[in-house]
Each structure stands twice: as C-alpha cells, then as structure tokens.
Amino acid sequence: MKKFIPLSTFLFGIFALFSCGKTTTISSNMELTGKWELQSIVQNSDTIQKPALAKGQMPVSLNFKEKGELEGTTSTNIMTGFYETAQQNTIQLGGGGTERAETQWGNLFVNALPNVNLYDLKMNRLVLYYENNNQMIFSRVQ
C-alpha cells in the first residue's frame, strides 16, 4: 500500500524550500526606502567623522525611492541614479552628477559609492560596505 503525503505538508515543504535564503527585491525593500545621511566613513580601520557644514554646503545623503530610483546630495552637488538589491544583502548603486567644487568629505563619498557591494540595515542605521570591508555609515533622516 502506498503512503501519500498530506497536501498541507507538501505545500508547507515547498514554501519552506523557496523561502530559504534572503531575497530582497526593489519593490519590497521598504526598510531601505527613505533618506539617509552619512555620519562616518571607515577606511582601513580609520574612522572619519562627518565634518561641520560650511556655508553653502549640503549634508551628504542618499534617498532610496521605490522602483529602484536613487537621489542623493554630495557636499556641494546633487546626484541621481538607481539601486538594486539582491540575495544576502548585496546591493548595486549607479548614477552620477557633477563633482564641481566638491569638498574632501564629498569626494570620499563620491569615490566610494560606485564600489559599494553589500549593505547592513539595523533600525535607523545603514552601513554600505565597499573595497575590503570599508564602510559608509548612515543614519535615517525620514
């Protein structure tokens, strides 16, 4: 006599199989959506803190929008682009803007951004990792 697996057990097994592994898509990553301001950069174990803003400067920030749209400000310029997240907290950022009259802080951000490949999101803190575990640490603005 053949034994049959109950349908509910079979469906649960299929669900468990396909839900293993963290997959984030652009449209469902609402935790990442919003504006983030750069607080510090960690390069080769040295931490560089956000400097005070001089007249005419903007805070360095990223605004992750729905559908993969990305906006940001460097210390003196505006940028636009895209982002895409995937399994195991991988992220790809792209876009551009001008680099006119950029500050040292803005240049650190602009030069690191194309090399970002991983992110970690906890509460109101976002860490973007690039090149040998270097980090850009952001806090949520809105």
Side-chain angles (χ1 to χ4, degrees):
M1 183 170 163
K2 293 183 178 180
K3 291 188 177 182
F4 291 98
I5 299 173
L7 182 59
S8 60
T9 303
F10 175 75
L11 291 176
F12 177 77
I14 294 296
F15 175 76
L17 177 66
F18 286 106
S19 65
C20 291
K22 185 176 181 181
T23 301
T24 306
T25 61
I26 294 167
S27 60
S28 68
N29 195 347
M30 297 307 290
E31 294 171 340
L32 187 57
T33 303
K35 189 171 182 181
W36 299 86
E37 188 175 317
L38 184 60
Q39 301 299 314
S40 61
I41 297 176
V42 179
Q43 289 184 335
N44 303 319
S45 302
D46 293 328
T47 301
I48 305 160
Q49 297 295 330
K50 172 179 76 172
L53 293 176
K55 185 177 180 181
Q57 291 181 353
M58 301 177 284
V60 174
S61 67
L62 288 173
N63 188 3
F64 293 90
K65 297 181 150 203
E66 294 182 24
K67 299 182 184 174
E69 295 174 6
L70 180 65
E71 295 178 348
T73 55
T74 65
S75 57
T76 58
N77 297 290
I78 296 173
M79 58 171 278
T80 59
F82 69 91
Y83 71 98
E84 185 175 354
T85 59
Q87 293 181 348
Q88 299 173 343
N89 292 358
T90 60
I91 189 168
Q92 180 181 4
L93 305 172
T98 63
E99 295 181 28
R100 189 178 68 229
E102 201 60 70
T103 65
Q104 183 179 7
W105 179 245
N107 277 327
L108 286 170
F109 170 72
V110 168
N111 292 332
L113 208 54
N115 300 311
V116 168
N117 57 4
L118 293 171
Y119 74 98
D120 185 32
L121 182 59
K122 293 180 183 162
M123 299 291 285
N124 291 319
R125 183 176 165 222
L126 170 65
V127 180
L128 297 178
Y129 294 93
Y130 66 100
E131 298 175 350
N132 301 320
N133 208 29
N134 290 335
Q135 305 170 21
M136 290 190 288
I137 302 168
F138 294 79
S139 63
R140 186 180 291 279
V141 176
Q142 53 176 316

